[in-house]
Amino acid sequence: EDKLTIAAASDLRFALTDIVAQFKQQHTAATVELVFGASGKLSSQIQHGAPFDIYFSADIRYANTLADAGFTATVPAVHALGRLVLWSNTAGISALTLSDLTQKRFKRIAIAQPEHAPYGLRAKQALIKAGLWQQLQAKIVYGENIAQTAQMVKSGAADIGIIALSLALSPALHDKPYTLIDETLHSPLEQGYVVTLHGAANPLSKQFIAYLQSTNARNIMLRYGFTEPQRNHEERYVP
Amino acid sequence: MITLQLQLVRQHFDLNINTTLPTTGITAIVGRSGCGKTSLLRAIAGLEPNCQGLIQFNNQSWLTGTVALPVEKRRIGMVFQQAFLLPHLSTEQNLLYGFNRTRKQQRTLTPELIIAMLDLKPLLGLKQHQLSGGQRQRLALGRALLTSPQLLLLDEPFAGLDQQSKAEILPFLHRISQQTKIPMLLVSHQLDDIVQLADHIVLLQQGQLVTQGPLQQQLSLQAFSAFGAMSVLHCHTATSNDDTLLTLQLGKQQLMLPYQYFNGACRLRVQAKDVAISLEPLVNSSVNNQLQATVCGFTSASHPAESIVQLQVEGQPLQALVTNRSTERLRLKADMTVYVQIKAVAIY
Amino acid sequence: MITLQLQLVRQHFDLNINTTLPTTGITAIVGRSGCGKTSLLRAIAGLEPNCQGLIQFNNQSWLTGTVALPVEKRRIGMVFQQAFLLPHLSTEQNLLYGFNRTRKQQRTLTPELIIAMLDLKPLLGLKQHQLSGGQRQRLALGRALLTSPQLLLLDEPFAGLDQQSKAEILPFLHRISQQTKIPMLLVSHQLDDIVQLADHIVLLQQGQLVTQGPLQQQLSLQAFSAFGAMSVLHCHTATSNDDTLLTLQLGKQQLMLPYQYFNGACRLRVQAKDVAISLEPLVNSSVNNQLQATVCGFTSASHPAESIVQLQVEGQPLQALVTNRSTERLRLKADMTVYVQIKAVAIY
Amino acid sequence: MYLSPADYQAIWLTLKLCSLTTVLLLIVATPLAWWLARTSSKSRIVIQAIVALPLVLPPTVLGFYLLLLLGPNGAIGSTLELMGFSHLAFSFSGIVVASVCYSLPFAVQPLMQSFQDMGPLPNELAASLGAGSLDRFFSITLPLCRGGFIVAATLSFAHTLGEFGVILMLGGSIPGETRVLSILIYDHTEAMNYAAAHTLSIGMLVAAFVVLSIVYSAQRRFAQVVA
Amino acid sequence: MYLSPADYQAIWLTLKLCSLTTVLLLIVATPLAWWLARTSSKSRIVIQAIVALPLVLPPTVLGFYLLLLLGPNGAIGSTLELMGFSHLAFSFSGIVVASVCYSLPFAVQPLMQSFQDMGPLPNELAASLGAGSLDRFFSITLPLCRGGFIVAATLSFAHTLGEFGVILMLGGSIPGETRVLSILIYDHTEAMNYAAAHTLSIGMLVAAFVVLSIVYSAQRRFAQVVA
Ligand SMILES: Nc1ncnc2c1ncn2[C@@H]1O[C@H](COP(=O)(O)OP(=O)(O)OP(=O)(O)O)[C@@H](O)[C@H]1O
Ligand SMILES: Nc1ncnc2c1ncn2[C@@H]1O[C@H](COP(=O)(O)OP(=O)(O)OP(=O)(O)O)[C@@H](O)[C@H]1O
Ligand code: MOO
Ligand SMILES: [Mg+2]
Ligand SMILES: [Mg+2]
């Protein structure tokens, strides 16, 4: 059966959807199913036998852990870097900094769950680094993954949130401005992918990963604010 | 006085009662199965929300049009057709449920009295599932009485009772009625019980009232012949020198009965079939009680070979069921003076 | 023959029955409320899982030790104490529930017959909530009969019936019993009904059997005096030239009764209180029926001023309730020949 | 086994949420169930269907609409803000409201069933014995329908305890405020923090089993009294 | 309003899951409820508590343990793999098993209640009229407890429809296999695809309302026949 199931971190929700759409124009017989979620959750599901062919993590370390535990067919590869932004549906925030989060008007600040969403962990790191974490604790609400976090802010239930740039640039959110958060406040958001043992035998896995290197795909990634990784890597395919 | 102008409309049944019932003594409600006896009692109790019309109990208005006094304000006691005990309460709690909800100054009956009279003591320790049908019925009766109600509604309270239990309860109910003056409406299929207890009788048929009135008069009506013709004689005890037999004074005549415990006014129920007529007083017969009577007339009996001879004894009506053969043989005619032998009576 | 060796142990009650009951005619089970009548019927039906012992119905083993034949295999018909209709079925479906589950070759009674005889036609169109207590009881009786059971268990089937309904059903049950030969166990508090129907009687007291035997003999026992002394006389119809009166042959003597519809063997229930004794035949009295009898002895009655005179009429026992006063006045003694006036009888 | 302060906080919060919700639900559901059991009005069906809706709607739908409704832009949230209160999204009050909506049918259904099963007779009898309507409720309906109330209360409590989707969407996982046990355990498992997940899960399992055993043996003792 | 093929797929999947679960549940729950209603054995309380456990456990706990149990390393999952089948985590069969466990008390409770309420009399009567035990089940118990069965079936169906947490953990949101409506709606809200979320939610709301109205008016008509 020509079917590929991809599990991907929520920050890729829009970028990967666009890439898959392009991919399918070339592989018209193929069915590509996309399952999005927090990186941690998806990796835990793979460990419990989830039938995913390729796993995209917002943090390469989840993929590495999977590889170390022997659930993968390839060596995890970094394909892009993600960025954190401040975003609000209500406040004009183009000139905001993290320290402005202490303002009274921000009653609820949404971040992703640091325990299993890389964007959440990075947001927490940034706030700690900025010396705001203790102070803001009472205001912070947690999304299950970064997309839900974005949705909390979009719906207005949270006044402001720390979300992925890739989501802020998505059709649903791009009409409101965002403020980039200093990369140095947190460890890098290395977007990594790996073919799972389950996907090893699926020829579409290889084809999709190959397609990921195409300019077409790279452009889509760039459009959603991802940047090229500093260090190039070699793909080591272990069948 | 209970004034009733009731309409209760159901799918296949209309209850339509326009009458006034006495609030003294016991009023029996009789009629065939399905004629609306239970419905009438429920309407009076206030348990039929669709009932319209007027219910006036003495000077209290219980129903005017569709405005009804709530059941719990009517201060009635009710024994439902199928003795129903509150399943979550102990036997004793069931008994006292209403008593505990009756204001102290309104309590005229005490638990001690009721327990003694209905022989409830042995039941109080039992669990409900250990009670037989008759035992439940006794308990339900006691419970209703303990509210010291201003009106007692009894829907076949003796249906599940054996003769012996019944024989113990009936006189008690009679005494309750006389001592407390609580008026009672009693539904029963047993004319025996009714004649023993009731002062007044109401006959229903298909939701309509056929006839109602004092028991003594009503009994000679054709309408009641289905129950077996009978008469009720009022008399009172007379002094006697025989302490095993009771001597009763009926006008100027006397009767002797094997009862000891009566004193004062009492009533005798005499079934027409228990009355024999002779032209002269009998001697050498075991029949003790012979009364002089006057023949008033003849009415037909349920069987064509028999007729009912209407008699007067000391001004009171008495019926005798005799075969036409005997009537002819004795040449009975109106205004004849005859002797009646009363073989069996019930005394209440 | 039903052989019973039953033990049923409950918290406050033990049923312990060791006896053999006939499987012909109707066997009445009597006893005070709570004595275990319903429990006995349920045990025989197989509805008391804790019942131990032996139940042998003719050549079928229904219970041996704790191994019990399932209820539905016993082919019994049961009318429960509180007429219970299956609420999800229509009146008609209720009636036919058991009939539809009876094999064709085992059906001896048809719905048409039962509907006609129990007057069920007008009920079949009604909804259950429109049925009164008595109507339900009739339906439950019909339903049990329609299984053409090999044993009919009736737990106070007449409890909710008015006299008229009862008067219609009783002879029908009697006829069913005679025509189908279905043996019946009948629990009833009304000795009237029992005397009319039963051939055999069982008296229970606190879970124990007190006495059992053919009705005619049992009735003279002291144990039954609580119900009011009575006798049953077996006779048969004789030809007569009066078509309104029924002439009955009792041995060599005759009785005349205002009934028309009987033919062949029949039984007369004579209450002891309805029997008068005279030393000579009476003339000029409305009493038609006088029989020559022999005094056999005297037993005490429930009232100290009275006693029961045990008589023999044409070899059959007859009881008369007379006051001691009369006994003395007439100087009644054993072996005396007397004349008994029977004022009232019931004929079945 | 070791529980972190965050775990204790979540346990306490969960118990608070469940108890409060159960109490509120019984107060709301009793008159509603009584009306539904006794009325012959045509509107009964509609009301009954509305009450039962949360039963059939996935928690995500409910959570989604509650988020829109209780948030600062929603009808209820904005009204509250106008009145000087804060909106209900991401707050304890918010998940109480959500829980009451979510578990309403679990309180109404068993109560209604038991009111119907009781039939009119016990109340008619009690009225004839002089008990007014409030007295009847406490002396007849409450004890006779005790089984129904126990079931309604356990189901409400349990269904709130087991609530996850609605709180996930509406709660925001705020420690001490909305991070109830079900959310915390989810977070632990997704973080592959299995030790903590096990500890809490087994703790809940044992506690649940003990509570249920108590409830059922109590119910049983009650049943024996009634039978 | 426009539904995508993925939406249709999820609707179909959800109906399949709910129907299958309901049927399985009634089959499993009926004898269990009957036993629980009739037995006087002491073990009743334990069994009843175990049956009720899913009621009190958050779906995340249940999902967690089912994942451990049904997955490739779990007792059940590995046994299945040994037998040549595949394990049950992240598969339709897996979420059926999960749903049956999850909704079991919702089927058992109302059935048990209605069996108890019916009392022994109807079956005793039917037996005396010659009906064997199977006949009695279909001619007496089933129609008399029809209310209980309707409630059990609706609750089972509905509770499965509203299942989210367990499937979220055990299902993995695989289209056509485990991505049921509740998961899909959640997914839509995350994708901020509010139009699709609204369409599906309102669709479910309306469908739910219609189904419930039908059920309740049927139940009502039934109740009128019985009363
Ligand atoms: N289900 C039961 N469990 C325990 N004890 C019971 C049960 N049913 C009846 N009893 C007890 O068993 C005894 C016999 O009851 P049973 O119903 O057989 O009496 P009965 O003779 O039919 O009385 P009644 O004439 O009032 O119907 C009673 O003392 C009663 O307390
Ligand atoms: N709840 C009810 N709804 C509709 N009709 C009813 C209801 N209860 C009784 N009926 C009908 O009303 C009529 C009168 O019933 P009711 O119970 O008053 O009779 P009854 O005289 O008490 O009979 P019984 O002597 O059998 O108890 C009957 O024809 C019955 O079909
Ligand atoms: O793995 Mo995420 O994209 O931080 O939810
Ligand atoms: Mg009645
Ligand atoms: Mg009995």
Side-chain angles (χ1 to χ4, degrees), chain B residues 12 130 258 277 286 288 303 323, chain C residues 12 130 258 277 286 288 303 323:
Chain B
H12 298 267
Q130 299 169 336
I277 299 174
S286 68
N288 282 313
H303 192 275
T323 56
Chain C
H12 297 267
Q130 298 169 335
I277 299 173
S286 68
N288 281 315
H303 191 275
T323 56

Side-chain angles (χ1 to χ4, degrees), chain D residues 34 115 118 123 136-137 139-146 149:
Chain D
W34 185 262
F115 291 158
M118 178 178 60
N123 272 286
R136 290 204 297 272
F137 177 76
S139 68
I140 305 290
T141 307
L142 200 60
L144 271 185
C145 298
R146 192 168 129 181
F149 279 98

Side-chain angles (χ1 to χ4, degrees), chain B residues 132-133, chain C residues 34 37-39 81 155-156 187:
Chain B
S132 68
Chain C
K37 305 182 293 297
T38 297
S39 306
Q81 196 161 4
D155 198 355
E156 304 193 34
V187 171

Side-chain angles (χ1 to χ4, degrees), chain B residues 58-297:
Chain B
N58 291 336
N59 52 358
Q60 304 163 19
S61 206
W62 284 1
L63 180 73
T64 36
T66 52
V67 182
L69 190 71
V71 188
E72 64 268 23
K73 298 261 171 67
R74 298 193 186 189
R75 297 200 51 232
I76 47 152
M78 184 142 187
V79 176
F80 287 82
Q81 197 162 4
Q82 307 206 328
F84 177 78
L85 301 184
L86 294 164
H88 60 301
L89 298 183
S90 72
T91 313
E92 186 165 357
Q93 287 168 330
N94 256 289
L95 185 66
L96 298 179
Y97 186 92
F99 180 74
N100 292 334
R101 280 158 180 81
T102 308
R103 281 203 225 112
K104 286 226 170 52
Q105 63 270 31
Q106 290 178 332
R107 292 177 183 166
T108 52
L109 298 168
T110 64
E112 295 69 42
L113 178 73
I114 298 291
I115 288 170
M117 299 206 124
L118 285 170
D119 192 18
L120 298 175
K121 190 123 230 153
L123 308 187
L124 292 185
L126 296 183
K127 306 246 180 254
Q128 272 190 44
H129 63 267
Q130 299 169 336
L131 295 175
S132 68
Q135 293 168 332
R136 300 169 78 89
Q137 209 92 32
R138 254 150 64 201
L139 204 64
L141 185 59
R143 179 177 58 189
L145 282 170
L146 277 174
T147 59
S148 308
Q150 41 177 1
L151 175 64
L152 197 57
L153 303 172
L154 306 167
D155 197 354
E156 303 194 34
F158 313 123
L161 297 188
D162 59 285
Q163 299 289 11
Q164 218 169 323
S165 305
K166 215 161 100 171
E168 289 165 8
I169 297 175
L170 255 72
F172 168 62
L173 250 191
H174 186 63
R175 229 175 308 150
I176 288 278
S177 162
Q178 296 203 313
Q179 289 174 5
T180 64
K181 309 284 181 212
I182 298 173
M184 304 184 190
L185 297 184
L186 168 70
V187 171
S188 174
H189 286 306
Q190 305 290 323
L191 204 64
D192 264 19
D193 306 343
I194 291 166
V195 166
Q196 178 163 351
L197 290 171
D199 305 296
H200 211 86
I201 190 162
V202 177
L203 178 65
L204 298 187
Q205 197 171 34
Q206 295 181 351
Q208 307 284 330
L209 188 137
V210 178
T211 172
Q212 67 118 316
L215 183 71
Q216 203 178 30
Q217 268 98 74
Q218 293 289 311
L219 283 181
S220 14
L221 295 184
Q222 189 68 30
F224 288 95
S225 62
F227 294 99
M230 59 178 73
S231 324
V232 171
L233 296 175
H234 294 286
C235 34
H236 57 91
T237 49
T239 45
S240 118
N241 40 12
D242 182 339
D243 57 352
T244 60
L245 280 181
L246 183 71
T247 310
L248 295 175
Q249 198 70 39
L250 176 66
K252 285 192 284 310
Q253 305 187 49
Q254 286 197 333
L255 286 162
M256 272 187 291
L257 295 171
Y259 291 91
Q260 294 167 292
Y261 314 107
F262 276 85
N263 205 6
C266 57
R267 64 167 92 169
L268 299 181
R269 189 259 283 143
V270 186
Q271 295 196 303
K273 65 182 174 63
D274 288 338
V275 181
I277 299 174
S278 65
L279 301 179
E280 304 142 24
L282 295 185
V283 287
N284 283 339
S285 162
S286 68
V287 175
N288 282 313
N289 292 309
Q290 304 197 41
L291 296 171
Q292 204 183 44
T294 316
V295 178
C296 301

Side-chain angles (χ1 to χ4, degrees), chain B residues 11-12 31-35 37 81-83 119 125-127 129-130 132-135 138 156 159-166 168 189-192 226-227 241-242 244-245 256-261 269 271-280 282-288 303-306 320-326 329-330 332 341 343-345, chain C residues 11-12 31-35 37 81-83 119 125-127 129-130 132-135 138 156 159-166 168 189-192 226-227 241-242 244-245 256-261 269 271-280 282-288 303-306 320-326 329-330 332 341 343-345:
Chain B
Q11 220 180 343
H12 298 267
R32 292 203 60 176
S33 184
C35 71
K37 304 181 294 297
Q81 197 162 4
Q82 307 206 328
D119 192 18
L126 296 183
K127 306 246 180 254
H129 63 267
Q130 299 169 336
S132 68
Q135 293 168 332
R138 254 150 64 201
E156 303 194 34
L161 297 188
D162 59 285
Q163 299 289 11
Q164 218 169 323
S165 305
K166 215 161 100 171
E168 289 165 8
H189 286 306
Q190 305 290 323
L191 204 64
D192 264 19
F227 294 99
N241 40 12
D242 182 339
T244 60
L245 280 181
M256 272 187 291
L257 295 171
Y259 291 91
Q260 294 167 292
Y261 314 107
R269 189 259 283 143
Q271 295 196 303
K273 65 182 174 63
D274 288 338
V275 181
I277 299 174
S278 65
L279 301 179
E280 304 142 24
L282 295 185
V283 287
N284 283 339
S285 162
S286 68
V287 175
N288 282 313
H303 192 275
E306 295 177 312
L321 179 69
V322 297
T323 56
N324 297 337
R325 221 164 192 251
S326 303
R329 185 158 50 79
L330 300 180
L332 293 180
Q341 290 83 40
K343 177 59 196 158
V345 303
Chain C
Q11 222 181 342
H12 297 267
R32 292 203 60 175
S33 184
C35 71
K37 305 182 293 297
Q81 196 161 4
Q82 305 207 330
D119 192 19
L126 295 182
K127 304 245 181 253
H129 64 266
Q130 298 169 335
S132 68
Q135 293 168 331
R138 254 150 64 202
E156 304 193 34
L161 297 187
D162 61 284
Q163 300 289 10
Q164 217 168 324
S165 305
K166 215 160 98 172
E168 288 164 11
H189 285 307
Q190 305 289 322
L191 204 65
D192 265 18
F227 293 100
N241 40 12
D242 183 338
T244 59
L245 280 182
M256 273 185 292
L257 295 171
Y259 292 92
Q260 295 167 290
Y261 315 108
R269 189 260 283 142
Q271 295 197 304
K273 65 181 175 60
D274 288 337
V275 180
I277 299 173
S278 65
L279 301 179
E280 304 143 23
L282 295 185
V283 288
N284 283 339
S285 161
S286 68
V287 175
N288 281 315
H303 191 275
E306 294 177 313
L321 179 70
V322 299
T323 56
N324 297 338
R325 221 165 191 248
S326 303
R329 186 159 48 79
L330 301 180
L332 294 180
Q341 289 83 41
K343 178 57 196 159
V345 302

Side-chain angles (χ1 to χ4, degrees), chain D residues 40 44 48 55-56 58-61 65 106 109 117 155 158 161-162 182 185-186 189 198 201-202 216-217 220, chain E residues 40 44 48 55-56 58-61 64-65 106 109 117 155 158 161-162 164 168-169 182 185 198 202 216 220:
Chain D
S40 53
R44 197 188 90 130
Q48 214 180 343
L55 209 74
V56 182
T60 42
V61 173
Y65 283 122
F106 289 80
Q109 282 254 21
D117 294 341
L155 285 181
L161 199 68
S182 61
I185 290 172
Y186 180 71
T189 60
H198 268 304
S201 297
I202 289 177
Y216 287 123
S217 60
R220 186 180 166 71
Chain E
S40 54
R44 198 187 92 128
Q48 213 179 343
L55 208 75
V56 181
T60 43
V61 174
F64 177 50
Y65 284 121
F106 290 80
Q109 283 254 20
D117 293 342
L155 284 181
L161 198 68
F164 170 70
L168 190 71
M169 293 192 70
S182 60
I185 290 173
H198 271 304
I202 289 176
Y216 288 124
R220 187 182 165 70

